[in-house]
Amino acid sequence: GSADALGSWDPKLGLPLATSAETFPQWSASTRLPLGVPMEWKLVISRAQGALDWERGENRRATLSPESDDGMWRIRVDFNGPAAEPEPCKRSKFP
């Protein structure tokens, strides 16, 4: 994505997602992003052989406002599918 924490459009520097036996097929990640700054991003699948599968269509866009009590936001997305609007969330919902 366009933010440094999202790799500045370099998939090798992008925010890696993780899953576990308990949470699969959901993947997640946490990072610090600037508030009030418009960002663009896409999901990319990095294959073991080095191939990259970029999401189709327009870039996703988000601007995180500072209105969340804990400064934490969640964005739910499906690869090549719709994304929900960013929603403020409590720190207690994350490990």
Side-chain angles (χ1 to χ4, degrees):
S2 60
D4 288 344
L6 301 179
S8 299
W9 295 113
D10 181 346
K12 293 176 187 166
L13 302 175
L15 179 64
L17 303 178
T19 191
S20 68
E22 294 81 29
T23 61
F24 186 83
Q26 293 179 337
W27 294 68
S28 62
S30 296
T31 191
R32 295 185 183 275
L33 293 168
L35 299 177
V37 177
M39 292 175 283
E40 294 190 15
W41 55 282
K42 285 189 177 218
L43 296 175
V44 180
I45 298 173
S46 179
R47 304 286 179 186
Q49 303 80 11
L52 299 174
D53 295 335
W54 287 79
E55 282 190 296
R56 296 183 302 267
E58 298 291 320
N59 294 342
R60 297 177 185 272
R61 292 176 177 83
T63 303
L64 305 178
S65 70
E67 67 190 43
S68 171
D69 291 340
D70 287 336
M72 302 279 293
W73 290 88
R74 175 179 24 225
I75 302 175
R76 297 174 189 249
V77 300
D78 291 320
F79 189 84
N80 285 328
E85 288 296 314
E87 60 186 76
C89 59
K90 297 288 183 192
R91 192 172 304 277
S92 60
K93 292 187 180 182
F94 292 92

